[in-house]
Amino acid sequence: MPSKYDWPAEGKRSLIGKRISRLDGPDKASGRARYAYDTNRPGGLVAKLLCSPHAHAKITRIDTSEAERAPGVRAVKVMAPAGTEVQWQGFEIAAVAADTEELAQDGVRKIKVEYEILPHLVKEEDVSKAANMIKPSAEETKGNPDSGFSEADAVHEGYYGINTITHCCLESHGQVAEWNGDNCTLYASTQALGRIGGDLAKVLGAEPATANIKPANIRVITEYMGGGFGSKFSIDKWGIVCAQFSKQTGKPVKLMLDRDQELLMAGMRPSDYAKIKLGAKKDGTITAWQHESWSTGGPGGGGAPPIPYVFTEIPNQRKRHIAVSTHTGPARAWRAPNHPQAAALTMCAMDDLAAKLNMNPLDFFIKNLPLTARGDVYKAELLKGAELMDWKTKWHPRGQGGNGYLKRGVGLSLHTWGGRAHDSDCRIVINSDGSVQAQLGSQDLGTGTRTVIGIVAAETLGIPLSGVQVQIGDSNYPPSGASGGSTTVGGVSSSTRRASVKALDKLFEAVAPSLGTTADKLVARDGRIHVEGDPSKSLTWKAACAKLGTKSISEIGRQPARDEGNLNDNGVGGIQMAEVEVDTETGIVSVKKMVAVQDCGLIIDVKTAESQCYGAMIMGVCAALYEERIFDQQTGTMLNADMEFYKLSGIADVGDMVVHMMTGVYDGRGVIGLGEPPAISPPAAISNAVANAIGVRVPTIPLTPDKVLAALEKGGRA
Amino acid sequence: MSKIDSDSHGKNKQPGKKGFSRRSFLGGLGIGGGAVATLPTGLLVESQAAAAPAMGPGPIPVALRINGKVHNLNIEPRVTLLDALRNHLDMTGAKKVCDRATCGACTVIVAGRPVYSCSMLAVEAQGKDIQTIEGLAPSGKLHPVSAAFVENDAQQCGFCTPGFVMAVKAFVDRHPNPTMDQVKKGLGGNLCRCGTYIGVRQAALDAARQMKGGKNA
Ligand code: FES
Ligand code: FES
């Protein structure tokens, strides 16, 4: 049943689906945008953390007396008292608040801690060395793996892996806390401004000195935030100590992590390593899959990867997983949790089997699409991708990547993601002067949330985008979900659409008499309200709003809604292809070109949607080629907790990138989240392209020069 | 990786200057990036001592000419230009990210050159013209470089953006007719985590075209 809430049909959209520059672009590009890190409150103090230099140790003594006496120091707090067993390097030990950043740092240096060093494990790739740090899970089977393998004409066995990486948000984690009596304002760099205030209140409420603090006492403001990627959902120990310092001193306190702390403890993506065996018939049809995997997510071990990935319907499967606990900073959700790892393991193993069958991987993957949940979507995307990559010309059998020392190759990968809308309330206010506010307790991580809200409200009200003031980034606005898992765009677009329709209905009621009609006969378009089918009977938006007199309209829209309307969905498919050039003398891989073909239902803003894909592919190049937490098992320390040796790609390190959104094709499904899906395939596609170029598999990601050279040597191709 | 090229348009290189950067100073203490300057530390300190009267460690008067206006501060000599801007002058356009001359988020223009302000001491910037992003568009109208960033969506979270804008500004001032290859080399000193490089490349080319004639420089 069509509903008034439904998205306007394609020919009737004036803003949705166009290429629109982000609303906050001018503020960001002029340096005016204020992030948590930029919040300077009058009389504010700066706090710094002391973190454990050891991976595993027991604190035997901690003495803060000298720090307390240090110049400019206003407060010192022990976060890990004597007796605490620290489980990773970077573990929070104590904090100091002082008049300036430099004095806070001096104060931290004056804290004396004695440790009893305990044995540690910081590397997990060689699981045989993990001793008592492993937790194997029970074997899972589906169908009959043994007969599946005996039906196969070709069986491939291989070893694959993808390492842990960090989030490395450019704005480190942290916040400014400022109390006014029992009310606290938290300027936080967070993906969950509606959640962390409550979490803080819960902790404070359990302490005698602050037992009266309730969630309503904490207001969270996140006007801008400098990247989260899944690592910024919680209040964290540093958020709590910051608020406590502020309460105790009666002054605003800023605590932002230093870069090394950010890399050591503020988030990492679990690893996954696996021995995989799979078999297929001559025509490419996969008959059986078997794997034994292991991974770490820090002290808590690492969960089983969802493999076989995308090709989940392989009829016969046998799987085993081992969780390895390590003494390293704990895992946090990382853009598309578990999926990039699962794609790397699955797509690389499948690509190797295709090579064994002497099949073009494009044909091999298409042949097996019946084993996926959305074969038609993938097929259309693969064919489109092949055209954009010129796959037919560029693909060659393995090892025929050129005669010189520079070898070229192409590879591909498939991915999927849910992206279901989170809960969201939006308030639309229409004032008698014609101004409009859209208010949501949401946050824009740089994905374009603010812009999407503005577009939906303006489209619905028939006014220009500049006519809507989008007000987000404040927990005082109606609650909207945390921004993670590609759930935001579906949530905020739905609540904004519903609130806008309701508010417009109210406006129609107010102006109908003066147009000599009833509310149900009115439409809003091009900045006017007019009688449907009779544009001569109309009022400008301003004149219409003036009819409200002294009143304003204020309406709430909700997602999920009980009212009718089909505004969003979940579940998308995408494919990516990579072309690389490998220098077989130095082992250096360079990405020449990448193609992304992506479905995400109805796109609200094509420009920012494409940016999500470009950004995801570039992050993927970083992960595929450069990013690595380098640990020294001897000392248990991370050797590159800095941005000089924890490498991200620079502007010259990414090749040409082509993004093709499947616009129009799946619009009827409504809005589906996009942040995660394009971040999944890059490592797999790049690894496959390297295998195609040099004729041998580099088993583990990142594909650093040393590993490329080792693989060439082992494969007799050096 | 192209970060190696970060000095290709002169970042933090002050030929013929006796001053020390915080980076080489820290390198000497073994905090910074490895092989740099273990030996020269003593020499640096000595030459510095000869060149300037002792100052600090407490606050000293420091005068900075920023966007054409002189600001008088009373800060410790160890305060970096970046911290002076952000913490003492509330000019927060330049960001603190790596704090070790790797990422470019703190880029400002000193004496016509792009500089990592996290790795220059405020006292060292005295007497020089310092241009920050706050001075790019005093009238509130977007500078052509910023406008090109908006148009090409060369920003997501935006945390790297002010540094990138200043790097592009300094780059196009020097290369009014840049090629894509020059853009890739010349902007290798700035890192973005959200992955906005495709937009930044185009923004640099567009901005150069816009600024022809130097009217907006
Ligand atoms: S903060 Fe100065 S270069 Fe990174
Ligand atoms: S836009 Fe987020 S770091 Fe560059």
mmCIF file of all heavy atoms in Angstrom, chain A residues 381-412:
data_model
loop_
_atom_site.group_PDB
_atom_site.id
_atom_site.type_symbol
_atom_site.label_atom_id
_atom_site.label_comp_id
_atom_site.label_asym_id
_atom_site.label_seq_id
_atom_site.Cartn_x
_atom_site.Cartn_y
_atom_site.Cartn_z
ATOM 1 N N GLU A 381 26.620 -6.681 -10.797
ATOM 2 C CA GLU A 381 27.740 -5.856 -10.334
ATOM 3 C C GLU A 381 29.072 -6.341 -10.903
ATOM 4 O O GLU A 381 29.935 -5.533 -11.273
ATOM 5 C CB GLU A 381 27.787 -5.854 -8.801
ATOM 6 C CG GLU A 381 26.607 -5.080 -8.192
ATOM 7 C CD GLU A 381 26.561 -5.114 -6.675
ATOM 8 O OE1 GLU A 381 27.160 -6.033 -6.070
ATOM 9 O OE2 GLU A 381 25.926 -4.222 -6.081
ATOM 10 N N LEU A 382 29.246 -7.648 -10.963
ATOM 11 C CA LEU A 382 30.507 -8.186 -11.501
ATOM 12 C C LEU A 382 30.661 -7.811 -12.975
ATOM 13 O O LEU A 382 31.751 -7.442 -13.427
ATOM 14 C CB LEU A 382 30.552 -9.711 -11.330
ATOM 15 C CG LEU A 382 30.902 -10.208 -9.918
ATOM 16 C CD1 LEU A 382 30.616 -11.700 -9.773
ATOM 17 C CD2 LEU A 382 32.369 -9.916 -9.572
ATOM 18 N N LEU A 383 29.574 -7.893 -13.720
ATOM 19 C CA LEU A 383 29.668 -7.564 -15.143
ATOM 20 C C LEU A 383 29.959 -6.076 -15.331
ATOM 21 O O LEU A 383 30.768 -5.681 -16.175
ATOM 22 C CB LEU A 383 28.388 -7.976 -15.870
ATOM 23 C CG LEU A 383 28.141 -9.507 -15.872
ATOM 24 C CD1 LEU A 383 26.822 -9.850 -16.552
ATOM 25 C CD2 LEU A 383 29.303 -10.259 -16.529
ATOM 26 N N LYS A 384 29.311 -5.255 -14.495
ATOM 27 C CA LYS A 384 29.570 -3.806 -14.564
ATOM 28 C C LYS A 384 31.027 -3.522 -14.187
ATOM 29 O O LYS A 384 31.719 -2.731 -14.843
ATOM 30 C CB LYS A 384 28.625 -3.062 -13.611
ATOM 31 C CG LYS A 384 28.707 -1.563 -13.703
ATOM 32 C CD LYS A 384 28.079 -1.064 -14.975
ATOM 33 C CE LYS A 384 28.631 0.276 -15.377
ATOM 34 N NZ LYS A 384 28.198 0.671 -16.739
ATOM 35 N N GLY A 385 31.474 -4.159 -13.114
ATOM 36 C CA GLY A 385 32.853 -3.967 -12.654
ATOM 37 C C GLY A 385 33.859 -4.391 -13.717
ATOM 38 O O GLY A 385 34.862 -3.706 -13.960
ATOM 39 N N ALA A 386 33.580 -5.521 -14.350
ATOM 40 C CA ALA A 386 34.500 -6.035 -15.378
ATOM 41 C C ALA A 386 34.630 -5.037 -16.519
ATOM 42 O O ALA A 386 35.715 -4.817 -17.061
ATOM 43 C CB ALA A 386 33.997 -7.380 -15.891
ATOM 44 N N GLU A 387 33.509 -4.402 -16.833
ATOM 45 C CA GLU A 387 33.531 -3.398 -17.905
ATOM 46 C C GLU A 387 34.364 -2.181 -17.470
ATOM 47 O O GLU A 387 35.213 -1.688 -18.218
ATOM 48 C CB GLU A 387 32.070 -3.015 -18.170
ATOM 49 C CG GLU A 387 31.828 -1.907 -19.151
ATOM 50 C CD GLU A 387 30.370 -1.396 -19.001
ATOM 51 O OE1 GLU A 387 29.451 -2.225 -18.791
ATOM 52 O OE2 GLU A 387 30.196 -0.165 -19.061
ATOM 53 N N LEU A 388 34.147 -1.729 -16.232
ATOM 54 C CA LEU A 388 34.866 -0.537 -15.759
ATOM 55 C C LEU A 388 36.356 -0.805 -15.548
ATOM 56 O O LEU A 388 37.171 0.096 -15.658
ATOM 57 C CB LEU A 388 34.240 -0.029 -14.452
ATOM 58 C CG LEU A 388 32.811 0.492 -14.575
ATOM 59 C CD1 LEU A 388 32.192 0.729 -13.195
ATOM 60 C CD2 LEU A 388 32.779 1.785 -15.398
ATOM 61 N N MET A 389 36.691 -2.047 -15.236
ATOM 62 C CA MET A 389 38.104 -2.401 -15.030
ATOM 63 C C MET A 389 38.770 -2.814 -16.337
ATOM 64 O O MET A 389 39.992 -2.861 -16.425
ATOM 65 C CB MET A 389 38.194 -3.528 -13.991
ATOM 66 C CG MET A 389 39.594 -4.036 -13.673
ATOM 67 S SD MET A 389 40.753 -2.730 -13.228
ATOM 68 C CE MET A 389 40.601 -2.690 -11.452
ATOM 69 N N ASP A 390 37.955 -3.082 -17.335
ATOM 70 C CA ASP A 390 38.453 -3.671 -18.578
ATOM 71 C C ASP A 390 39.114 -5.018 -18.252
ATOM 72 O O ASP A 390 40.229 -5.324 -18.662
ATOM 73 C CB ASP A 390 39.449 -2.730 -19.282
ATOM 74 C CG ASP A 390 39.698 -3.156 -20.729
ATOM 75 O OD1 ASP A 390 38.978 -4.062 -21.220
ATOM 76 O OD2 ASP A 390 40.622 -2.603 -21.354
ATOM 77 N N TRP A 391 38.375 -5.786 -17.478
ATOM 78 C CA TRP A 391 38.875 -7.061 -16.956
ATOM 79 C C TRP A 391 39.302 -7.999 -18.086
ATOM 80 O O TRP A 391 40.315 -8.676 -18.006
ATOM 81 C CB TRP A 391 37.775 -7.711 -16.103
ATOM 82 C CG TRP A 391 38.165 -9.007 -15.473
ATOM 83 C CD1 TRP A 391 38.118 -10.254 -16.030
ATOM 84 C CD2 TRP A 391 38.689 -9.194 -14.147
ATOM 85 N NE1 TRP A 391 38.567 -11.199 -15.134
ATOM 86 C CE2 TRP A 391 38.926 -10.575 -13.964
ATOM 87 C CE3 TRP A 391 38.976 -8.315 -13.084
ATOM 88 C CZ2 TRP A 391 39.429 -11.109 -12.779
ATOM 89 C CZ3 TRP A 391 39.462 -8.853 -11.896
ATOM 90 C CH2 TRP A 391 39.694 -10.228 -11.754
ATOM 91 N N LYS A 392 38.490 -8.011 -19.151
ATOM 92 C CA LYS A 392 38.764 -8.926 -20.265
ATOM 93 C C LYS A 392 40.169 -8.729 -20.814
ATOM 94 O O LYS A 392 40.889 -9.683 -21.062
ATOM 95 C CB LYS A 392 37.746 -8.654 -21.384
ATOM 96 C CG LYS A 392 36.895 -9.871 -21.698
ATOM 97 C CD LYS A 392 36.236 -9.739 -23.063
ATOM 98 C CE LYS A 392 35.039 -10.668 -23.108
ATOM 99 N NZ LYS A 392 33.801 -9.973 -23.436
ATOM 100 N N THR A 393 40.569 -7.475 -20.976
ATOM 101 C CA THR A 393 41.897 -7.201 -21.508
ATOM 102 C C THR A 393 42.969 -7.410 -20.444
ATOM 103 O O THR A 393 44.056 -7.899 -20.734
ATOM 104 C CB THR A 393 41.983 -5.729 -21.970
ATOM 105 O OG1 THR A 393 40.770 -5.401 -22.635
ATOM 106 C CG2 THR A 393 43.164 -5.491 -22.873
ATOM 107 N N LYS A 394 42.638 -7.030 -19.213
ATOM 108 C CA LYS A 394 43.695 -6.986 -18.197
ATOM 109 C C LYS A 394 43.959 -8.329 -17.529
ATOM 110 O O LYS A 394 45.053 -8.572 -17.035
ATOM 111 C CB LYS A 394 43.348 -5.937 -17.133
ATOM 112 C CG LYS A 394 43.520 -4.519 -17.648
ATOM 113 C CD LYS A 394 43.167 -3.483 -16.619
ATOM 114 C CE LYS A 394 43.368 -2.093 -17.186
ATOM 115 N NZ LYS A 394 42.757 -1.062 -16.348
ATOM 116 N N TRP A 395 42.947 -9.181 -17.473
ATOM 117 C CA TRP A 395 43.191 -10.455 -16.795
ATOM 118 C C TRP A 395 44.032 -11.360 -17.676
ATOM 119 O O TRP A 395 43.888 -11.375 -18.903
ATOM 120 C CB TRP A 395 41.867 -11.158 -16.453
ATOM 121 C CG TRP A 395 42.151 -12.428 -15.694
ATOM 122 C CD1 TRP A 395 42.433 -12.547 -14.370
ATOM 123 C CD2 TRP A 395 42.246 -13.750 -16.251
ATOM 124 N NE1 TRP A 395 42.705 -13.860 -14.051
ATOM 125 C CE2 TRP A 395 42.597 -14.625 -15.185
ATOM 126 C CE3 TRP A 395 42.088 -14.284 -17.531
ATOM 127 C CZ2 TRP A 395 42.781 -15.994 -15.362
ATOM 128 C CZ3 TRP A 395 42.269 -15.645 -17.707
ATOM 129 C CH2 TRP A 395 42.615 -16.496 -16.624
ATOM 130 N N HIS A 396 44.909 -12.104 -17.042
ATOM 131 C CA HIS A 396 45.724 -13.080 -17.750
ATOM 132 C C HIS A 396 45.914 -14.249 -16.806
ATOM 133 O O HIS A 396 45.776 -14.096 -15.582
ATOM 134 C CB HIS A 396 47.083 -12.470 -18.116
ATOM 135 C CG HIS A 396 47.755 -11.824 -16.943
ATOM 136 N ND1 HIS A 396 48.339 -12.547 -15.923
ATOM 137 C CD2 HIS A 396 47.887 -10.520 -16.589
ATOM 138 C CE1 HIS A 396 48.803 -11.717 -15.005
ATOM 139 N NE2 HIS A 396 48.540 -10.485 -15.373
ATOM 140 N N PRO A 397 46.244 -15.422 -17.310
ATOM 141 C CA PRO A 397 46.515 -16.525 -16.386
ATOM 142 C C PRO A 397 47.657 -16.130 -15.447
ATOM 143 O O PRO A 397 48.502 -15.297 -15.784
ATOM 144 C CB PRO A 397 46.916 -17.668 -17.309
ATOM 145 C CG PRO A 397 46.287 -17.346 -18.627
ATOM 146 C CD PRO A 397 46.306 -15.859 -18.727
ATOM 147 N N ARG A 398 47.673 -16.714 -14.283
ATOM 148 C CA ARG A 398 48.681 -16.382 -13.264
ATOM 149 C C ARG A 398 50.102 -16.442 -13.799
ATOM 150 O O ARG A 398 50.458 -17.357 -14.522
ATOM 151 C CB ARG A 398 48.572 -17.366 -12.115
ATOM 152 C CG ARG A 398 47.530 -16.909 -11.153
ATOM 153 C CD ARG A 398 47.810 -17.422 -9.791
ATOM 154 N NE ARG A 398 46.688 -17.003 -8.971
ATOM 155 C CZ ARG A 398 46.410 -17.511 -7.794
ATOM 156 N NH1 ARG A 398 47.168 -18.465 -7.302
ATOM 157 N NH2 ARG A 398 45.399 -17.062 -7.121
ATOM 158 N N GLY A 399 50.854 -15.462 -13.395
ATOM 159 C CA GLY A 399 52.273 -15.493 -13.726
ATOM 160 C C GLY A 399 52.582 -14.913 -15.096
ATOM 161 O O GLY A 399 53.731 -14.811 -15.487
ATOM 162 N N GLN A 400 51.546 -14.525 -15.829
ATOM 163 C CA GLN A 400 51.821 -13.920 -17.137
ATOM 164 C C GLN A 400 51.628 -12.403 -17.051
ATOM 165 O O GLN A 400 50.989 -11.794 -17.904
ATOM 166 C CB GLN A 400 50.907 -14.531 -18.212
ATOM 167 C CG GLN A 400 51.158 -16.023 -18.377
ATOM 168 C CD GLN A 400 50.255 -16.667 -19.425
ATOM 169 O OE1 GLN A 400 49.688 -15.982 -20.271
ATOM 170 N NE2 GLN A 400 50.123 -17.974 -19.353
ATOM 171 N N GLY A 401 52.148 -11.850 -15.985
ATOM 172 C CA GLY A 401 51.943 -10.423 -15.727
ATOM 173 C C GLY A 401 52.962 -9.524 -16.378
ATOM 174 O O GLY A 401 53.097 -8.365 -16.003
ATOM 175 N N GLY A 402 53.694 -10.027 -17.342
ATOM 176 C CA GLY A 402 54.671 -9.200 -18.043
ATOM 177 C C GLY A 402 56.056 -9.828 -17.960
ATOM 178 O O GLY A 402 56.333 -10.640 -17.075
ATOM 179 N N ASN A 403 56.924 -9.425 -18.890
ATOM 180 C CA ASN A 403 58.245 -10.048 -18.960
ATOM 181 C C ASN A 403 59.285 -9.349 -18.095
ATOM 182 O O ASN A 403 60.235 -9.950 -17.643
ATOM 183 C CB ASN A 403 58.739 -10.072 -20.410
ATOM 184 C CG ASN A 403 57.877 -10.999 -21.258
ATOM 185 O OD1 ASN A 403 57.377 -12.011 -20.749
ATOM 186 N ND2 ASN A 403 57.687 -10.648 -22.519
ATOM 187 N N GLY A 404 59.097 -8.072 -17.875
ATOM 188 C CA GLY A 404 60.082 -7.321 -17.103
ATOM 189 C C GLY A 404 59.945 -7.603 -15.611
ATOM 190 O O GLY A 404 59.235 -8.521 -15.198
ATOM 191 N N TYR A 405 60.606 -6.789 -14.801
ATOM 192 C CA TYR A 405 60.521 -6.995 -13.351
ATOM 193 C C TYR A 405 59.240 -6.398 -12.768
ATOM 194 O O TYR A 405 58.889 -6.656 -11.632
ATOM 195 C CB TYR A 405 61.772 -6.437 -12.662
ATOM 196 C CG TYR A 405 61.908 -4.936 -12.779
ATOM 197 C CD1 TYR A 405 61.495 -4.110 -11.749
ATOM 198 C CD2 TYR A 405 62.445 -4.355 -13.928
ATOM 199 C CE1 TYR A 405 61.598 -2.728 -11.863
ATOM 200 C CE2 TYR A 405 62.549 -2.976 -14.047
ATOM 201 C CZ TYR A 405 62.122 -2.175 -13.008
ATOM 202 O OH TYR A 405 62.217 -0.820 -13.119
ATOM 203 N N LEU A 406 58.557 -5.547 -13.557
ATOM 204 C CA LEU A 406 57.275 -5.014 -13.099
ATOM 205 C C LEU A 406 56.160 -5.891 -13.633
ATOM 206 O O LEU A 406 56.046 -6.099 -14.840
ATOM 207 C CB LEU A 406 57.079 -3.584 -13.609
ATOM 208 C CG LEU A 406 58.037 -2.529 -13.068
ATOM 209 C CD1 LEU A 406 57.821 -1.197 -13.773
ATOM 210 C CD2 LEU A 406 57.870 -2.364 -11.559
ATOM 211 N N LYS A 407 55.348 -6.434 -12.739
ATOM 212 C CA LYS A 407 54.274 -7.342 -13.162
ATOM 213 C C LYS A 407 52.930 -6.718 -12.826
ATOM 214 O O LYS A 407 52.748 -6.142 -11.752
ATOM 215 C CB LYS A 407 54.373 -8.674 -12.410
ATOM 216 C CG LYS A 407 55.752 -9.297 -12.387
ATOM 217 C CD LYS A 407 56.048 -10.034 -13.661
ATOM 218 C CE LYS A 407 57.390 -10.755 -13.560
ATOM 219 N NZ LYS A 407 57.906 -11.151 -14.870
ATOM 220 N N ARG A 408 51.998 -6.874 -13.739
ATOM 221 C CA ARG A 408 50.645 -6.353 -13.517
ATOM 222 C C ARG A 408 49.666 -7.489 -13.296
ATOM 223 O O ARG A 408 49.823 -8.568 -13.881
ATOM 224 C CB ARG A 408 50.190 -5.570 -14.745
ATOM 225 C CG ARG A 408 50.892 -4.256 -14.902
ATOM 226 C CD ARG A 408 49.907 -3.122 -14.748
ATOM 227 N NE ARG A 408 50.616 -1.845 -14.879
ATOM 228 C CZ ARG A 408 50.001 -0.675 -14.899
ATOM 229 N NH1 ARG A 408 48.687 -0.594 -14.795
ATOM 230 N NH2 ARG A 408 50.691 0.438 -15.004
ATOM 231 N N GLY A 409 48.641 -7.226 -12.517
ATOM 232 C CA GLY A 409 47.612 -8.232 -12.342
ATOM 233 C C GLY A 409 46.317 -7.617 -11.842
ATOM 234 O O GLY A 409 46.300 -6.475 -11.370
ATOM 235 N N VAL A 410 45.224 -8.364 -11.975
ATOM 236 C CA VAL A 410 43.925 -7.907 -11.477
ATOM 237 C C VAL A 410 43.329 -8.968 -10.560
ATOM 238 O O VAL A 410 43.603 -10.160 -10.696
ATOM 239 C CB VAL A 410 42.934 -7.591 -12.627
ATOM 240 C CG1 VAL A 410 43.318 -6.317 -13.343
ATOM 241 C CG2 VAL A 410 42.804 -8.752 -13.598
ATOM 242 N N GLY A 411 42.506 -8.500 -9.623
ATOM 243 C CA GLY A 411 41.838 -9.409 -8.693
ATOM 244 C C GLY A 411 40.500 -8.838 -8.288
ATOM 245 O O GLY A 411 40.246 -7.648 -8.471
ATOM 246 N N LEU A 412 39.651 -9.703 -7.731
ATOM 247 C CA LEU A 412 38.320 -9.218 -7.345
ATOM 248 C C LEU A 412 37.888 -9.825 -6.021
ATOM 249 O O LEU A 412 38.477 -10.802 -5.541
ATOM 250 C CB LEU A 412 37.295 -9.517 -8.439
ATOM 251 C CG LEU A 412 36.935 -10.966 -8.747
ATOM 252 C CD1 LEU A 412 35.824 -11.468 -7.849
ATOM 253 C CD2 LEU A 412 36.474 -11.083 -10.201
#
